[in-house]
Amino acid sequence: MERQVRVRFAPSPTGPLHIGGVRTALYNYLFARRNNGVMILRIEDTDSQRFVPGAEDYIIESLKWLGIGIDEGVGHGGPHGPYRQSERRDIYRIYVKQLLDAGKAYIAFDTPAELEAARASKPNWQYDATTRMSMRNSLTMPADEVKSLIDNGEKYVVRFLIEPGRDVEVNDLVRGKVTINSSVLDDKVLYKSADDLPTYHLANIVDDHLMEVSHVIRGEEWLPSAPLHVLLYEAFGWTDTMPQFVHLPLLLKPDGKGKLSKRDGDRLGFPVFPLEWHDPASGAISAGYRENGYLPEAVVNFLALLGWNPGDDTEIMSMDELINKFSFEHCSKAGAKFAFEKGKWFNHQYLQELDDATLARLFKPVLEQHGVNPADYSDEYIARAVGMVKSRINFVSDLWDQAGFFFAAPTEYEPKAVKKRWSEDMPRIMSELIEVLRAMPSWKSAEAEPVVLGWIADNGYHLGNVMNAFRLTVVGECKGPHMFDITELMDPEETIRRIEAGIERIKLPE
Ligand code: GLU
């Protein structure tokens, strides 16, 4: 019988979840949903030194924002809990003892200073078959001495006894078979008596086994640990139910030269975290996709394509479509360049899908930030204003730049445009325009336009100069939607006030 698909996202709460971690969570989720499987959230907090308060909540909130659903785990419960490793000490103790009793692990007392001295003794020194017999451990010390040291509270660690000279195979769904000789591995620490906690390796394997994980889907940086994990499965006698490994390609810098880092984001101006992060120790704030105006659907779509494709050129895909199409067959081994400009493109595309009323709602806080009270305008007014400019925005905040003039008269006039379009007789022509506008039977775009253009033609005025001067007075610069669409929406008195203000205030360059 095929095994039920059970995957886990297993972040360590050592800081804000990096965007690469978000991609790992997403691929786990897509694979689980595609195969009617279960998605587990396990918090791997066994490294008490690196624990950061708030990081777990941040992870949970990030997944929620992105619509990456969890079926079992921290914050959800389930049959295999607790799902926070720091709460599973009793379980790990049993398995550490099992390895010790079977002679597959041993106790070591070496102090940090002793380890340091050993490392300094020769290049590439490691704790392994070639060195372990000259160290202070239960393999080299009499049993009663070991016992009395433990009874006296001496700090120790438990190390995995790695047999040298064996080819260890890791079968990876993306990379195929990877073989490593066990002689290159060191006797990894599995448990530390100092905090009565296992290390990542032991806790990870024990939990994957107990939680019946079928596929371990994680970043490429964990590939070097995989042979050790295979050996641990063997040592426990669990090879039959060993999960299938999938190591996802690295996320690379936008130019492809090396691993993506937070510094690349700072340097090039894009977030590397899903949500804004306030560092509890330093107080420093790191930008997040959510606060920078990205829609969660756009972030999901963008990340899904960093290392995977649907087998054709389709780019815009909803979560459901991604689920339908997802498989590891189309996952690449090669690192994926973090093309953040493409992320903006996705956001642009998803913003176009929103109806004007929704966009108007998202725009209201931006209006407030700019000192405009949205309640001074009808919802319809705001919706029509954003509808006219939405094709030009990548972010909701761009709406202010594009449509702010609908809510605030210009305070200055773009000098280049003034130089090009304004002239000595423009105040007089604009005064005439006011008369023409006042006399119009309708401000509807299609009706107003021929009236104004007719007046320009009848008087032999320069069409481009007059229309741009008109625009300058109303918008402050020579940009924006069709002029008569603007004036149809705006209060006619406001339009006229702005032309009057322009006549008064626009000055020709000396
Ligand atoms: N706790 C590890 C991490 O922070 C989990 C690696 C794995 O998925 O095995 O990513």
Side-chain angles (χ1 to χ4, degrees), residues 176-191:
K177 192 158 81 183
V178 182
T179 309
I180 288 279
N181 194 281
S182 64
S183 299
V184 305
L185 304 175
D186 64 333
D187 291 355
K188 275 273 170 329
V189 171
L190 301 179
Y191 170 87

Side-chain angles (χ1 to χ4, degrees), residues 39-316:
M39 167 82 167
I40 302 167
L41 174 65
R42 184 170 77 218
I43 297 292
E44 303 211 321
D45 56 350
T46 56
D47 191 345
S48 42
Q49 306 287 310
R50 295 180 60 214
F51 179 83
V52 172
E56 181 187 300
D57 288 342
Y58 179 95
I59 291 165
I60 292 173
E61 200 184 332
S62 300
L63 299 181
K64 204 159 140 205
W65 178 62
L66 291 160
I68 299 175
I70 301 297
D71 305 307
E72 257 181 51
V74 171
H76 292 261
H80 300 278
Y83 291 92
R84 204 177 275 118
Q85 290 186 327
S86 59
E87 293 167 15
R88 297 170 64 80
R89 286 185 156 87
D90 295 349
I91 299 172
Y92 304 128
R93 259 185 236 121
I94 298 171
Y95 291 96
V96 171
K97 184 166 183 310
Q98 186 177 320
L99 290 181
L100 284 171
D101 290 349
K104 296 189 168 163
Y106 60 93
I107 288 170
F109 296 101
D110 315 277
T111 62
E114 285 164 346
L115 288 169
E116 182 117 336
R119 270 187 213 110
S121 69
K122 81 173 194 277
N124 302 323
W125 183 93
Q126 64 175 13
Y127 213 118
D128 63 14
T130 65
T131 59
R132 64 170 83 102
M133 296 313 285
S134 57
M135 302 301 288
R136 283 180 62 226
N137 55 50
S138 59
L139 305 171
T140 59
M141 292 156 70
D144 52 353
E145 194 186 337
V146 171
K147 186 172 180 305
S148 79
L149 283 177
I150 294 175
D151 291 346
N152 285 334
E154 185 100 355
K155 302 263 186 296
Y156 65 90
V157 298
V158 173
R159 288 184 180 270
F160 191 32
L161 189 126
I162 299 219
E163 263 179 59
R166 279 203 38 212
D167 280 337
V168 187
E169 271 180 18
V170 178
N171 287 303
D172 186 291
L173 276 185
V174 170
R175 278 146 226 279
K177 192 158 81 183
V178 182
T179 309
I180 288 279
N181 194 281
S182 64
S183 299
V184 305
L185 304 175
D186 64 333
D187 291 355
K188 275 273 170 329
V189 171
L190 301 179
Y191 170 87
K192 294 182 267 119
S193 72
D195 51 10
D196 183 28
L197 273 171
T199 58
Y200 154 72
H201 301 289
L202 183 101
N204 190 268
I205 291 332
V206 166
D207 286 349
D208 282 349
H209 174 71
L210 295 177
M211 295 175 187
E212 297 173 47
V213 168
S214 64
H215 294 75
V216 165
I217 304 163
R218 60 187 174 192
E220 183 176 311
E221 62 273 29
W222 300 98
L223 185 59
S225 302
L228 171 72
H229 295 178
V230 169
L231 289 174
L232 275 168
Y233 277 101
E234 261 183 40
F236 281 118
W238 296 335
T239 37
D240 287 353
T241 53
M242 186 160 74
Q244 176 68 61
F245 289 105
V246 187
H247 289 95
L248 304 175
L250 280 181
L251 291 187
L252 303 177
K253 295 179 192 301
D255 65 5
K257 293 185 184 140
K259 216 177 120 183
L260 177 70
S261 74
K262 173 158 161 25
R263 256 183 294 138
D264 300 317
D266 295 342
R267 183 170 55 93
L268 300 166
F270 60 87
V272 297
F273 301 118
L275 316 179
E276 197 169 87
W277 168 255
H278 297 241
D279 189 87
S282 68
I285 296 177
S286 306
Y289 278 85
R290 182 177 66 183
E291 291 72 10
N292 276 25
Y294 284 81
L295 298 171
E297 296 82 1
V299 176
V300 162
N301 197 154
F302 168 53
L303 288 180
L305 289 168
L306 292 177
W308 171 82
N309 66 73
D312 57 34
D313 294 340
T314 317
E315 290 194 292
I316 301 292

Side-chain angles (χ1 to χ4, degrees), residues 427-443:
R428 179 188 56 80
I429 297 176
M430 288 295 112
S431 304
E432 257 180 52
L433 172 62
I434 292 174
E435 296 318 312
V436 173
L437 293 176
R438 281 202 198 280
M440 285 192 310
S442 161
W443 285 72

Side-chain angles (χ1 to χ4, degrees), residues 15 25 85 116 129 139 218 225 240 265 315 317 337 349 357 396 411 424 458-459:
Q85 290 186 327
E116 182 117 336
L139 305 171
R218 60 187 174 192
S225 302
D240 287 353
E315 290 194 292
M317 285 168 280
K337 284 184 203 162
Q349 299 298 323
V396 170
T411 50
E424 262 171 39
D458 291 350
N459 290 281

Side-chain angles (χ1 to χ4, degrees), residues 326-339:
F326 193 78
S327 83
F328 290 117
E329 249 167 75
H330 291 117
C331 247
S332 66
K333 268 189 272 205
K337 284 184 203 162
F338 196 79

Side-chain angles (χ1 to χ4, degrees), residues 311-486:
D312 57 34
D313 294 340
T314 317
E315 290 194 292
I316 301 292
M317 285 168 280
S318 66
M319 188 71 102
D320 283 343
E321 287 166 317
L322 291 169
I323 290 168
N324 264 318
K325 295 179 180 201
F326 193 78
S327 83
F328 290 117
E329 249 167 75
H330 291 117
C331 247
S332 66
K333 268 189 272 205
K337 284 184 203 162
F338 196 79
F340 65 99
E341 290 293 344
K342 189 77 191 199
K344 290 187 193 166
W345 178 85
F346 274 107
N347 209 53
H348 172 85
Q349 299 298 323
Y350 277 85
L351 283 171
Q352 305 313 305
E353 303 288 308
L354 298 183
D355 59 45
D356 296 348
T358 306
L359 212 45
R361 221 177 309 120
L362 297 174
F363 186 34
K364 285 184 183 180
V366 180
L367 284 172
E368 274 169 7
Q369 280 163 21
H370 287 92
V372 173
N373 181 3
D376 291 346
Y377 299 87
S378 71
D379 285 351
E380 200 212 327
Y381 182 91
I382 305 175
R384 283 177 62 193
V386 303
M388 276 187 230
V389 301
K390 70 176 177 188
S391 66
R392 304 158 200 242
I393 60 161
N394 289 335
F395 301 102
V396 170
S397 58
D398 294 344
L399 283 171
W400 176 257
D401 202 34
Q402 296 297 331
F405 66 85
F406 280 109
F407 306 89
T411 50
E412 48 195 47
Y413 303 93
E414 213 246 306
K416 265 203 198 120
V418 171
K419 191 165 174 221
K420 187 161 173 212
R421 303 298 187 178
W422 206 257
S423 54
E424 262 171 39
D425 51 356
M426 207 44 94
R428 179 188 56 80
I429 297 176
M430 288 295 112
S431 304
E432 257 180 52
L433 172 62
I434 292 174
E435 296 318 312
V436 173
L437 293 176
R438 281 202 198 280
M440 285 192 310
S442 161
W443 285 72
K444 285 238 166 295
S445 181
E447 290 164 49
E449 180 167 357
V451 174
V452 173
L453 296 191
W455 158 74
I456 292 174
D458 291 350
N459 290 281
Y461 296 145
H462 185 283
L463 177 68
N465 286 352
V466 173
M467 284 308 294
N468 275 294
F470 180 17
R471 185 179 286 279
L472 252 177
T473 62
V474 174
V475 179
E477 42 189 328
C478 288
K479 70 165 198 196
H482 185 52
M483 199 54 216
F484 296 100
D485 290 347
I486 298 176

